[in-house]
Amino acid sequence: MDRPNEPTFLPKGDNSVTVDIPSEYFTDRYKPLEDSLSNRFSTDDRVKIKKIAIPDLSYPLQLGRRDNFSLFIPSHHRMAASLINTFMGLRTLDDFMSVAAYARDRVNPYMFMYAMSVAILHRKDTKNLNFPSFHEIFPDKYVDGELFARAREESNVVPENQRMPLEIPVDYTASDLEFEHRIAYFREDLGINLHHWHWHLVYPFDAPMDIVNKNRRGELFYYMHQQVMARYNFERFCNNLPRTKRLLNWNDPITEGYFPKLDSLVASRVWPARVANTRLSDVNREVDQIKFDIQDLERWRDRIYSAIHSGSIVNAQGNSVQLTETGGIDVLGNIVEASILSPNRNVYGDLHNLGHVAIALSHDPDHRHLETFGVMGDPATAMRDPVFYRWHAFIDDIFMEHKNTLPRYTTQQLDYPGVTVRDVEVMPNGGKKNVLSTYWQQSDVDLSRGMDFTPRGSVFARFTHLQHTPFTYKIQVNNGSGQRMGTCRIFLAPRLDERGLPFLFRDQKNLFIELDKFTVNLRPGANTIERKSTDSSVTIPFERTFRNLEQGRPGNENSQTGQDFNFCGCGWPQHMLIPKGARGGFPCTLFVMISNYQDDKVETASGSSCADAASYCGIRDALYPDKRSMGYPFDRLPREGADTLRSFLTKNMFTKDIDIEFNNRTVRPKTPGANAQPTTQPK
Ligand code: CUO
């Protein structure tokens, strides 16, 4: 998967292997040179590719090798789905390798890597295979484009052991004249963008049915993106910005502009920018086989809202199907996204995906300038753009509209009789009680796997990202009955709204970000529960975001098992678990609840892997591990009379005022590539 533009037969690097491909697999350009190329590049370590009859790839080959690939454009995702289908259908691992080697030199590299990744994740014989993280193969989707010229210079001139990390300035996409730039560190965070890419890799909306049809995937589409919005709004408050405004009037100019400054190494183009006040237009681009009007989006939106208000949808057979209390959100998620599980695409269309496309093509909707799509067209880059959040605030509002029609949780559905949470505190390692501490950290990422036709050896890019001191929750619980189990749910929200005034609970509940969820055993009487922030059920470990595949190899002290590198790439990055806070302390409310495990538990396949970021990503090959509606207990309107958080609380819940204190200092790696997870408060 390294160096996506280089031909397959080229050896990878220092410890490289030569891929011996059958001569029929050479592309036309290289066929006449076959003998000299094989000798020039071969190494002793060889992987032999078996020659087989190649299945028909003419459909995925319709996308040009140098074109950009968008998962949201229907013709593109259909081609990708067909390629995935081909990969999944190959009987043996040898056959899979063979077709992959053939396709790699011909198919569009982005589409190839996407389809390969989905196939490797889901084929039984490759599930535990290591593959490099997407930012290593396509660093151009994550790194300031300006860096690559410097990286080439560094790798051509400087010997590997003397190369310096190339620092990416914090303010490379905009200046402080743009208010939205205050939270660029969130939007452009490597780990957040990787999480989003991985989420969509694990939950594709168009692929063979057995891959798409995962337990509660429509509901998880809603919940994961709802949490992204809550986290973004929380982060906005920390930076004196108000909540995101929904993108509602699609004929009005879009206030926010965005200039990504990413260069595509594959398409050899810069990613197009969107100037402030761009308007959406009807899209008609023959090149992408795509044609739809803004009015189509409006019709789909209106039909979805009217389905929500009537409490039922119409399926493809014309029958009315109820949006049930627990299952309705899952159906709605698939309709809105839309995935191939949508029960009626003729009526409800493809609202969310084509919204991404309309925005991504707003600078050239009819292809008159021969431009490709902007960052909103790709899940690997979409979260960089401020308009992503305006679009998803609208999408989230649709789901909220449905949630608001549901019966409100009764006290009985919230309480766990006999269980009383008496206190909670957070203790940062080496810090002050109930004050979380954040600061900047720099980490290095190796670009060399993604840099084609350059000398081998590592070239590091140095990122600046938010970090927090790890901490421990200490929860005091009284259990007035015998031994039993509970689910501990921990959330955090800003204490005051953007005006500095107390919230109405119905607004504040939407800003609660999930920090953790885990099962607890309660003894009769007093219990003290301790839990580390690094064990969070929403995050993947720091090392998994800023990893280097070599470090993951067995024998290395940072070794992880192969499974960590694929499905397990999904998960909110640990370094972004806690919002930035503010200097002098940002006031927050920590919420803890212990619910009755009997009402939460799900029969999960034992030994399921990749369970450590289950809250936003689910568990591989298993049911979603919590039977409650995702977002419980904040997903529905509060019961009559519960106007404030305090009045919402039952005995098994507890809240604590805590602060997040931001320190404006930067911790750097000691040597290039030596990224370190913090263990205590840095001095
Ligand atoms: Cu994840 Cu709009 O769905 O990007």
Side-chain angles (χ1 to χ4, degrees), residues 72 196 199-200 221 224-225 337 352 356 379 382 388 391-392:
F72 295 120
H196 189 235
W199 193 93
H200 283 279
F221 172 79
M224 195 283 286
H225 290 88
E337 187 180 4
H352 154 269
H356 270 268
F388 172 93
W391 181 245
H392 270 276

Side-chain angles (χ1 to χ4, degrees), residues 414 505 591 633-634 638-639 642 644-650 653:
L414 297 169
F505 179 60
F591 170 92
F634 296 123
R639 63 186 182 276
T644 61
L645 176 59
R646 185 167 290 272
S647 56
F648 173 74
L649 300 182
T650 44
M653 303 179 191

